[in-house]
Amino acid sequence: MTLFDLHTHIISPDTERYPSRPLGGHQSTWSSERPVTLEQLLRSLDEAGIEKAAVVQAATMYGFDNSYVADSLGDHRDRLIGVGSIDLVADDALERIDHWIGERGFAGVRVRAADGTTAVKNAASLDDPRLEPAWSRLEADRIPVCIQMHSKHAPVLASVLRRHPGLVVALDHGARPNLAGGPPYSGLSELFELTEFPNVFLKITPITIRRAAAEPDGDPAKLIARLVEGFGSDRISWGSNFPASEGSLADLRAFVEGALAELAPEQRADILGGTAARIYPQFAG
């Protein structure tokens, strides 16, 4: 089984070549307190026994300038893919997609839709008519889009997917589902509205699991079991969120795997690698 970490970040020490220009004007705490360079990420992947990874643009450090990730892919394209942030409501959004995907070799696009730090100010903006050309291009070219949102915004995303059923979506941090009250996690009904769309995938990270553990009688294993029941393991993948989530990459891998321990071996294999290859089939080899 090939392990594929679907959510990592990198930060360059060269602030002249790669200056900070965070979306919203506020740099994330983690990017200043525990930055990780490309070289450090590669060493951490080796130490954690992870063969492949997606490097997701740190928009709270670099905004829509994906240059550091693009320059870092270089000779590591057999191991790394890039997911870039693009202002999809910009007048030149399609040109930006062509540039970062077609010219700079990114595999996917990321939209932060729930935290107010991007041009897409909230999840309701996902159905903004100005986004339609971008959704159509991403759908037509099968370019996966990672969306950071909350499960309460699922109806808005559903309205987009009914117009663009071929759009491939990976929900960062599992769409930060409603876990109030702990097991049996009845609030997951919000998220499960999206199970009807076969191209919607969940990306489970330490953020998701720690939130589950924080609820009364919280049990991450029960949460994962419910998510598998709703979406199927072949639509769930893991990501370490390293280094935004505290801990070494090896520790974060072990932490996530602990929540998967009660699943069948084939289900764990899906979440740890197989599903990622379905989202990014060009990286399956």
Side-chain angles (χ1 to χ4, degrees), residues 59-101:
T60 54
M61 174 65 179
Y62 298 119
F64 295 122
D65 183 358
N66 303 285
S67 297
Y68 182 48
V69 175
D71 293 345
S72 297
L73 295 177
D75 297 331
H76 305 290
R77 294 183 183 276
D78 61 333
R79 189 173 196 185
L80 303 178
I81 62 171
V83 178
S85 290
I86 298 177
D87 184 355
L88 297 183
V89 300
D91 292 339
D92 62 345
L94 299 186
E95 289 78 5
R96 297 186 189 194
I97 292 172
D98 288 340
H99 173 70
W100 293 113
I101 302 294

mmCIF file of all heavy atoms in Angstrom, residues 59-101:
data_model
loop_
_atom_site.group_PDB
_atom_site.id
_atom_site.type_symbol
_atom_site.label_atom_id
_atom_site.label_comp_id
_atom_site.label_asym_id
_atom_site.label_seq_id
_atom_site.Cartn_x
_atom_site.Cartn_y
_atom_site.Cartn_z
ATOM 1 N N ALA A 59 -2.242 29.716 1.858
ATOM 2 C CA ALA A 59 -2.823 30.995 1.467
ATOM 3 C C ALA A 59 -2.729 32.034 2.571
ATOM 4 O O ALA A 59 -2.741 33.243 2.297
ATOM 5 C CB ALA A 59 -4.284 30.803 1.053
ATOM 6 N N THR A 60 -2.639 31.591 3.828
ATOM 7 C CA THR A 60 -2.496 32.546 4.926
ATOM 8 C C THR A 60 -1.051 32.996 5.092
ATOM 9 O O THR A 60 -0.723 33.695 6.049
ATOM 10 C CB THR A 60 -2.999 31.941 6.250
ATOM 11 O OG1 THR A 60 -2.335 30.692 6.488
ATOM 12 C CG2 THR A 60 -4.499 31.706 6.190
ATOM 13 N N MET A 61 -0.201 32.616 4.146
ATOM 14 C CA MET A 61 1.162 33.122 4.071
ATOM 15 C C MET A 61 1.409 33.802 2.727
ATOM 16 O O MET A 61 1.906 34.918 2.656
ATOM 17 C CB MET A 61 2.170 31.978 4.260
ATOM 18 C CG MET A 61 3.624 32.386 4.064
ATOM 19 S SD MET A 61 4.170 33.575 5.318
ATOM 20 C CE MET A 61 5.884 33.800 4.812
ATOM 21 N N TYR A 62 1.011 33.132 1.635
ATOM 22 C CA TYR A 62 1.354 33.610 0.298
ATOM 23 C C TYR A 62 0.154 34.051 -0.538
ATOM 24 O O TYR A 62 0.343 34.462 -1.683
ATOM 25 C CB TYR A 62 2.111 32.517 -0.458
ATOM 26 C CG TYR A 62 3.417 32.120 0.179
ATOM 27 C CD1 TYR A 62 3.637 30.816 0.617
ATOM 28 C CD2 TYR A 62 4.441 33.055 0.339
ATOM 29 C CE1 TYR A 62 4.842 30.449 1.201
ATOM 30 C CE2 TYR A 62 5.646 32.688 0.916
ATOM 31 C CZ TYR A 62 5.847 31.392 1.356
ATOM 32 O OH TYR A 62 7.040 31.028 1.934
ATOM 33 N N GLY A 63 -1.045 33.950 -0.013
ATOM 34 C CA GLY A 63 -2.205 34.355 -0.790
ATOM 35 C C GLY A 63 -2.332 33.559 -2.071
ATOM 36 O O GLY A 63 -2.231 32.333 -2.079
ATOM 37 N N PHE A 64 -2.533 34.268 -3.189
ATOM 38 C CA PHE A 64 -2.720 33.616 -4.469
ATOM 39 C C PHE A 64 -1.413 33.445 -5.257
ATOM 40 O O PHE A 64 -1.437 33.006 -6.408
ATOM 41 C CB PHE A 64 -3.717 34.404 -5.323
ATOM 42 C CG PHE A 64 -5.110 34.443 -4.751
ATOM 43 C CD1 PHE A 64 -5.721 35.652 -4.476
ATOM 44 C CD2 PHE A 64 -5.801 33.273 -4.482
ATOM 45 C CE1 PHE A 64 -7.003 35.697 -3.948
ATOM 46 C CE2 PHE A 64 -7.079 33.300 -3.963
ATOM 47 C CZ PHE A 64 -7.688 34.519 -3.684
ATOM 48 N N ASP A 65 -0.292 33.790 -4.648
ATOM 49 C CA ASP A 65 1.003 33.605 -5.311
ATOM 50 C C ASP A 65 1.546 32.230 -4.938
ATOM 51 O O ASP A 65 2.116 32.029 -3.865
ATOM 52 C CB ASP A 65 1.987 34.696 -4.893
ATOM 53 C CG ASP A 65 3.321 34.569 -5.619
ATOM 54 O OD1 ASP A 65 3.485 33.618 -6.422
ATOM 55 O OD2 ASP A 65 4.202 35.414 -5.386
ATOM 56 N N ASN A 66 1.366 31.277 -5.837
ATOM 57 C CA ASN A 66 1.741 29.883 -5.592
ATOM 58 C C ASN A 66 3.184 29.568 -5.981
ATOM 59 O O ASN A 66 3.543 28.404 -6.156
ATOM 60 C CB ASN A 66 0.803 28.965 -6.388
ATOM 61 C CG ASN A 66 -0.656 29.179 -6.051
ATOM 62 O OD1 ASN A 66 -1.132 28.767 -5.006
ATOM 63 N ND2 ASN A 66 -1.380 29.831 -6.959
ATOM 64 N N SER A 67 4.016 30.590 -6.104
ATOM 65 C CA SER A 67 5.349 30.406 -6.687
ATOM 66 C C SER A 67 6.221 29.429 -5.909
ATOM 67 O O SER A 67 6.937 28.620 -6.511
ATOM 68 C CB SER A 67 6.064 31.756 -6.785
ATOM 69 O OG SER A 67 5.385 32.629 -7.639
ATOM 70 N N TYR A 68 6.190 29.501 -4.575
ATOM 71 C CA TYR A 68 7.096 28.627 -3.815
ATOM 72 C C TYR A 68 6.738 27.157 -4.014
ATOM 73 O O TYR A 68 7.619 26.314 -4.227
ATOM 74 C CB TYR A 68 7.083 28.986 -2.335
ATOM 75 C CG TYR A 68 8.043 28.137 -1.513
ATOM 76 C CD1 TYR A 68 9.358 27.940 -1.924
ATOM 77 C CD2 TYR A 68 7.625 27.514 -0.338
ATOM 78 C CE1 TYR A 68 10.236 27.150 -1.197
ATOM 79 C CE2 TYR A 68 8.503 26.729 0.411
ATOM 80 C CZ TYR A 68 9.806 26.549 -0.022
ATOM 81 O OH TYR A 68 10.669 25.762 0.703
ATOM 82 N N VAL A 69 5.459 26.849 -3.982
ATOM 83 C CA VAL A 69 5.064 25.461 -4.228
ATOM 84 C C VAL A 69 5.426 25.066 -5.648
ATOM 85 O O VAL A 69 5.992 23.988 -5.881
ATOM 86 C CB VAL A 69 3.558 25.264 -3.972
ATOM 87 C CG1 VAL A 69 3.140 23.839 -4.355
ATOM 88 C CG2 VAL A 69 3.212 25.531 -2.510
ATOM 89 N N ALA A 70 5.142 25.926 -6.618
ATOM 90 C CA ALA A 70 5.431 25.612 -8.019
ATOM 91 C C ALA A 70 6.924 25.368 -8.229
ATOM 92 O O ALA A 70 7.327 24.400 -8.888
ATOM 93 C CB ALA A 70 4.942 26.743 -8.921
ATOM 94 N N ASP A 71 7.763 26.250 -7.655
ATOM 95 C CA ASP A 71 9.209 26.101 -7.813
ATOM 96 C C ASP A 71 9.725 24.872 -7.084
ATOM 97 O O ASP A 71 10.775 24.322 -7.447
ATOM 98 C CB ASP A 71 9.919 27.344 -7.283
ATOM 99 C CG ASP A 71 9.637 28.579 -8.125
ATOM 100 O OD1 ASP A 71 9.134 28.431 -9.248
ATOM 101 O OD2 ASP A 71 9.907 29.700 -7.639
ATOM 102 N N SER A 72 9.014 24.424 -6.065
ATOM 103 C CA SER A 72 9.469 23.299 -5.250
ATOM 104 C C SER A 72 9.159 21.956 -5.880
ATOM 105 O O SER A 72 9.806 20.952 -5.554
ATOM 106 C CB SER A 72 8.833 23.362 -3.858
ATOM 107 O OG SER A 72 9.240 24.527 -3.163
ATOM 108 N N LEU A 73 8.164 21.893 -6.742
ATOM 109 C CA LEU A 73 7.791 20.602 -7.322
ATOM 110 C C LEU A 73 8.939 20.015 -8.125
ATOM 111 O O LEU A 73 9.308 18.854 -7.942
ATOM 112 C CB LEU A 73 6.538 20.758 -8.187
ATOM 113 C CG LEU A 73 5.258 21.160 -7.449
ATOM 114 C CD1 LEU A 73 4.113 21.343 -8.443
ATOM 115 C CD2 LEU A 73 4.883 20.145 -6.389
ATOM 116 N N GLY A 74 9.501 20.818 -9.034
ATOM 117 C CA GLY A 74 10.730 20.469 -9.737
ATOM 118 C C GLY A 74 10.947 19.007 -10.018
ATOM 119 O O GLY A 74 10.190 18.360 -10.745
ATOM 120 N N ASP A 75 12.011 18.472 -9.415
ATOM 121 C CA ASP A 75 12.398 17.074 -9.627
ATOM 122 C C ASP A 75 11.630 16.106 -8.740
ATOM 123 O O ASP A 75 11.972 14.914 -8.693
ATOM 124 C CB ASP A 75 13.900 16.907 -9.369
ATOM 125 C CG ASP A 75 14.756 17.700 -10.336
ATOM 126 O OD1 ASP A 75 14.294 17.921 -11.474
ATOM 127 O OD2 ASP A 75 15.869 18.114 -9.950
ATOM 128 N N HIS A 76 10.620 16.582 -8.057
ATOM 129 C CA HIS A 76 9.907 15.728 -7.091
ATOM 130 C C HIS A 76 8.500 15.395 -7.547
ATOM 131 O O HIS A 76 7.671 14.981 -6.737
ATOM 132 C CB HIS A 76 9.868 16.426 -5.726
ATOM 133 C CG HIS A 76 11.204 16.832 -5.204
ATOM 134 N ND1 HIS A 76 12.149 15.913 -4.776
ATOM 135 C CD2 HIS A 76 11.775 18.055 -5.074
ATOM 136 C CE1 HIS A 76 13.232 16.555 -4.391
ATOM 137 N NE2 HIS A 76 13.037 17.853 -4.567
ATOM 138 N N ARG A 77 8.236 15.541 -8.839
ATOM 139 C CA ARG A 77 6.876 15.315 -9.330
ATOM 140 C C ARG A 77 6.457 13.856 -9.267
ATOM 141 O O ARG A 77 5.272 13.546 -9.411
ATOM 142 C CB ARG A 77 6.730 15.860 -10.749
ATOM 143 C CG ARG A 77 6.852 17.379 -10.801
ATOM 144 C CD ARG A 77 6.633 17.934 -12.196
ATOM 145 N NE ARG A 77 6.835 19.371 -12.219
ATOM 146 C CZ ARG A 77 5.910 20.272 -11.897
ATOM 147 N NH1 ARG A 77 4.709 19.848 -11.532
ATOM 148 N NH2 ARG A 77 6.163 21.562 -11.933
ATOM 149 N N ASP A 78 7.400 12.946 -9.074
ATOM 150 C CA ASP A 78 7.037 11.553 -8.874
ATOM 151 C C ASP A 78 6.533 11.315 -7.460
ATOM 152 O O ASP A 78 5.956 10.264 -7.154
ATOM 153 C CB ASP A 78 8.228 10.643 -9.144
ATOM 154 C CG ASP A 78 9.399 10.928 -8.209
ATOM 155 O OD1 ASP A 78 9.510 12.079 -7.730
ATOM 156 O OD2 ASP A 78 10.196 10.008 -7.961
ATOM 157 N N ARG A 79 6.716 12.319 -6.590
ATOM 158 C CA ARG A 79 6.356 12.155 -5.182
ATOM 159 C C ARG A 79 5.382 13.222 -4.694
ATOM 160 O O ARG A 79 4.607 12.980 -3.774
ATOM 161 C CB ARG A 79 7.625 12.205 -4.325
ATOM 162 C CG ARG A 79 7.377 11.840 -2.884
ATOM 163 C CD ARG A 79 8.672 11.746 -2.111
ATOM 164 N NE ARG A 79 8.461 11.042 -0.854
ATOM 165 C CZ ARG A 79 9.383 10.877 0.081
ATOM 166 N NH1 ARG A 79 10.603 11.361 -0.113
ATOM 167 N NH2 ARG A 79 9.101 10.224 1.193
ATOM 168 N N LEU A 80 5.449 14.408 -5.289
ATOM 169 C CA LEU A 80 4.649 15.533 -4.813
ATOM 170 C C LEU A 80 3.731 16.049 -5.915
ATOM 171 O O LEU A 80 4.088 16.058 -7.092
ATOM 172 C CB LEU A 80 5.555 16.684 -4.360
ATOM 173 C CG LEU A 80 6.595 16.398 -3.274
ATOM 174 C CD1 LEU A 80 7.426 17.653 -3.016
ATOM 175 C CD2 LEU A 80 5.939 15.905 -1.989
ATOM 176 N N ILE A 81 2.555 16.504 -5.509
ATOM 177 C CA ILE A 81 1.684 17.271 -6.395
ATOM 178 C C ILE A 81 1.376 18.591 -5.695
ATOM 179 O O ILE A 81 1.449 18.706 -4.475
ATOM 180 C CB ILE A 81 0.380 16.538 -6.740
ATOM 181 C CG1 ILE A 81 -0.455 16.282 -5.479
ATOM 182 C CG2 ILE A 81 0.656 15.261 -7.485
ATOM 183 C CD1 ILE A 81 -1.839 15.767 -5.778
ATOM 184 N N GLY A 82 1.019 19.595 -6.482
ATOM 185 C CA GLY A 82 0.705 20.904 -5.926
ATOM 186 C C GLY A 82 -0.774 21.222 -6.051
ATOM 187 O O GLY A 82 -1.416 20.894 -7.050
ATOM 188 N N VAL A 83 -1.319 21.850 -5.012
ATOM 189 C CA VAL A 83 -2.695 22.332 -5.011
ATOM 190 C C VAL A 83 -2.626 23.834 -4.766
ATOM 191 O O VAL A 83 -2.227 24.275 -3.687
ATOM 192 C CB VAL A 83 -3.549 21.636 -3.922
ATOM 193 C CG1 VAL A 83 -4.961 22.204 -3.921
ATOM 194 C CG2 VAL A 83 -3.564 20.125 -4.150
ATOM 195 N N GLY A 84 -2.979 24.623 -5.773
ATOM 196 C CA GLY A 84 -2.792 26.059 -5.700
ATOM 197 C C GLY A 84 -4.053 26.828 -5.365
ATOM 198 O O GLY A 84 -5.167 26.370 -5.629
ATOM 199 N N SER A 85 -3.872 27.990 -4.760
ATOM 200 C CA SER A 85 -4.981 28.902 -4.485
ATOM 201 C C SER A 85 -5.139 29.858 -5.658
ATOM 202 O O SER A 85 -4.162 30.480 -6.095
ATOM 203 C CB SER A 85 -4.731 29.691 -3.201
ATOM 204 O OG SER A 85 -4.819 28.853 -2.061
ATOM 205 N N ILE A 86 -6.348 29.981 -6.161
ATOM 206 C CA ILE A 86 -6.638 30.849 -7.294
ATOM 207 C C ILE A 86 -7.890 31.662 -6.984
ATOM 208 O O ILE A 86 -8.880 31.127 -6.467
ATOM 209 C CB ILE A 86 -6.851 30.022 -8.582
ATOM 210 C CG1 ILE A 86 -5.575 29.250 -8.942
ATOM 211 C CG2 ILE A 86 -7.269 30.920 -9.741
ATOM 212 C CD1 ILE A 86 -5.706 28.355 -10.148
ATOM 213 N N ASP A 87 -7.832 32.938 -7.276
ATOM 214 C CA ASP A 87 -8.986 33.816 -7.081
ATOM 215 C C ASP A 87 -9.986 33.529 -8.203
ATOM 216 O O ASP A 87 -9.864 34.039 -9.314
ATOM 217 C CB ASP A 87 -8.536 35.273 -7.109
ATOM 218 C CG ASP A 87 -9.671 36.242 -6.815
ATOM 219 O OD1 ASP A 87 -10.831 35.777 -6.687
ATOM 220 O OD2 ASP A 87 -9.411 37.453 -6.700
ATOM 221 N N LEU A 88 -10.974 32.704 -7.911
ATOM 222 C CA LEU A 88 -11.888 32.243 -8.941
ATOM 223 C C LEU A 88 -12.949 33.267 -9.332
ATOM 224 O O LEU A 88 -13.690 33.057 -10.297
ATOM 225 C CB LEU A 88 -12.566 30.938 -8.504
ATOM 226 C CG LEU A 88 -11.640 29.742 -8.280
ATOM 227 C CD1 LEU A 88 -12.443 28.510 -7.923
ATOM 228 C CD2 LEU A 88 -10.765 29.478 -9.499
ATOM 229 N N VAL A 89 -13.037 34.370 -8.577
ATOM 230 C CA VAL A 89 -13.985 35.415 -8.975
ATOM 231 C C VAL A 89 -13.284 36.543 -9.728
ATOM 232 O O VAL A 89 -13.927 37.511 -10.140
ATOM 233 C CB VAL A 89 -14.754 35.995 -7.764
ATOM 234 C CG1 VAL A 89 -15.541 34.910 -7.067
ATOM 235 C CG2 VAL A 89 -13.807 36.690 -6.795
ATOM 236 N N ALA A 90 -11.975 36.433 -9.913
ATOM 237 C CA ALA A 90 -11.235 37.458 -10.655
ATOM 238 C C ALA A 90 -11.634 37.432 -12.123
ATOM 239 O O ALA A 90 -12.036 36.392 -12.666
ATOM 240 C CB ALA A 90 -9.736 37.225 -10.520
ATOM 241 N N ASP A 91 -11.517 38.568 -12.779
ATOM 242 C CA ASP A 91 -11.865 38.656 -14.196
ATOM 243 C C ASP A 91 -11.011 37.719 -15.043
ATOM 244 O O ASP A 91 -11.456 37.245 -16.088
ATOM 245 C CB ASP A 91 -11.713 40.098 -14.694
ATOM 246 C CG ASP A 91 -12.740 41.046 -14.095
ATOM 247 O OD1 ASP A 91 -13.793 40.555 -13.623
ATOM 248 O OD2 ASP A 91 -12.487 42.260 -14.090
ATOM 249 N N ASP A 92 -9.772 37.486 -14.589
ATOM 250 C CA ASP A 92 -8.861 36.630 -15.354
ATOM 251 C C ASP A 92 -8.712 35.246 -14.722
ATOM 252 O O ASP A 92 -7.672 34.601 -14.856
ATOM 253 C CB ASP A 92 -7.488 37.295 -15.484
ATOM 254 C CG ASP A 92 -6.806 37.511 -14.142
ATOM 255 O OD1 ASP A 92 -7.484 37.411 -13.092
ATOM 256 O OD2 ASP A 92 -5.590 37.783 -14.139
ATOM 257 N N ALA A 93 -9.763 34.766 -14.055
ATOM 258 C CA ALA A 93 -9.687 33.481 -13.352
ATOM 259 C C ALA A 93 -9.298 32.338 -14.277
ATOM 260 O O ALA A 93 -8.481 31.476 -13.919
ATOM 261 C CB ALA A 93 -11.016 33.173 -12.660
ATOM 262 N N LEU A 94 -9.849 32.315 -15.486
ATOM 263 C CA LEU A 94 -9.534 31.221 -16.405
ATOM 264 C C LEU A 94 -8.080 31.269 -16.843
ATOM 265 O O LEU A 94 -7.428 30.221 -16.979
ATOM 266 C CB LEU A 94 -10.462 31.269 -17.622
ATOM 267 C CG LEU A 94 -11.957 31.112 -17.328
ATOM 268 C CD1 LEU A 94 -12.749 31.041 -18.627
ATOM 269 C CD2 LEU A 94 -12.231 29.885 -16.467
ATOM 270 N N GLU A 95 -7.551 32.482 -17.030
ATOM 271 C CA GLU A 95 -6.135 32.611 -17.366
ATOM 272 C C GLU A 95 -5.257 32.156 -16.214
ATOM 273 O O GLU A 95 -4.206 31.529 -16.431
ATOM 274 C CB GLU A 95 -5.806 34.064 -17.738
ATOM 275 C CG GLU A 95 -6.363 34.529 -19.074
ATOM 276 C CD GLU A 95 -7.841 34.869 -19.029
ATOM 277 O OE1 GLU A 95 -8.446 34.841 -17.921
ATOM 278 O OE2 GLU A 95 -8.408 35.179 -20.093
ATOM 279 N N ARG A 96 -5.688 32.437 -14.993
ATOM 280 C CA ARG A 96 -4.915 31.995 -13.831
ATOM 281 C C ARG A 96 -4.942 30.472 -13.704
ATOM 282 O O ARG A 96 -3.939 29.854 -13.330
ATOM 283 C CB ARG A 96 -5.459 32.649 -12.558
ATOM 284 C CG ARG A 96 -5.326 34.160 -12.557
ATOM 285 C CD ARG A 96 -5.732 34.763 -11.223
ATOM 286 N NE ARG A 96 -5.795 36.224 -11.296
ATOM 287 C CZ ARG A 96 -5.869 37.012 -10.240
ATOM 288 N NH1 ARG A 96 -5.885 36.492 -9.023
ATOM 289 N NH2 ARG A 96 -5.929 38.327 -10.383
ATOM 290 N N ILE A 97 -6.077 29.866 -14.012
ATOM 291 C CA ILE A 97 -6.149 28.403 -14.013
ATOM 292 C C ILE A 97 -5.193 27.841 -15.061
ATOM 293 O O ILE A 97 -4.441 26.886 -14.795
ATOM 294 C CB ILE A 97 -7.593 27.930 -14.277
ATOM 295 C CG1 ILE A 97 -8.500 28.288 -13.082
ATOM 296 C CG2 ILE A 97 -7.628 26.422 -14.534
ATOM 297 C CD1 ILE A 97 -9.971 28.029 -13.331
ATOM 298 N N ASP A 98 -5.204 28.430 -16.248
ATOM 299 C CA ASP A 98 -4.299 27.976 -17.309
ATOM 300 C C ASP A 98 -2.837 28.096 -16.872
ATOM 301 O O ASP A 98 -2.018 27.213 -17.147
ATOM 302 C CB ASP A 98 -4.507 28.807 -18.581
ATOM 303 C CG ASP A 98 -5.823 28.490 -19.276
ATOM 304 O OD1 ASP A 98 -6.379 27.406 -19.024
ATOM 305 O OD2 ASP A 98 -6.293 29.338 -20.068
ATOM 306 N N HIS A 99 -2.527 29.201 -16.172
ATOM 307 C CA HIS A 99 -1.147 29.431 -15.760
ATOM 308 C C HIS A 99 -0.697 28.407 -14.727
ATOM 309 O O HIS A 99 0.327 27.728 -14.926
ATOM 310 C CB HIS A 99 -0.991 30.836 -15.186
ATOM 311 C CG HIS A 99 0.357 31.103 -14.589
ATOM 312 N ND1 HIS A 99 1.496 31.227 -15.356
ATOM 313 C CD2 HIS A 99 0.764 31.233 -13.283
ATOM 314 C CE1 HIS A 99 2.542 31.433 -14.571
ATOM 315 N NE2 HIS A 99 2.127 31.439 -13.310
ATOM 316 N N TRP A 100 -1.445 28.291 -13.634
ATOM 317 C CA TRP A 100 -0.975 27.446 -12.527
ATOM 318 C C TRP A 100 -1.145 25.961 -12.812
ATOM 319 O O TRP A 100 -0.291 25.148 -12.429
ATOM 320 C CB TRP A 100 -1.680 27.826 -11.231
ATOM 321 C CG TRP A 100 -1.307 29.191 -10.734
ATOM 322 C CD1 TRP A 100 -2.105 30.286 -10.655
ATOM 323 C CD2 TRP A 100 -0.019 29.612 -10.265
ATOM 324 N NE1 TRP A 100 -1.408 31.368 -10.171
ATOM 325 C CE2 TRP A 100 -0.120 30.976 -9.923
ATOM 326 C CE3 TRP A 100 1.217 28.976 -10.104
ATOM 327 C CZ2 TRP A 100 0.951 31.719 -9.428
ATOM 328 C CZ3 TRP A 100 2.290 29.710 -9.609
ATOM 329 C CH2 TRP A 100 2.155 31.053 -9.274
ATOM 330 N N ILE A 101 -2.213 25.603 -13.507
ATOM 331 C CA ILE A 101 -2.436 24.188 -13.821
ATOM 332 C C ILE A 101 -1.686 23.797 -15.090
ATOM 333 O O ILE A 101 -0.907 22.830 -15.101
ATOM 334 C CB ILE A 101 -3.939 23.895 -13.986
ATOM 335 C CG1 ILE A 101 -4.715 24.259 -12.708
ATOM 336 C CG2 ILE A 101 -4.153 22.425 -14.342
ATOM 337 C CD1 ILE A 101 -4.380 23.428 -11.499
#
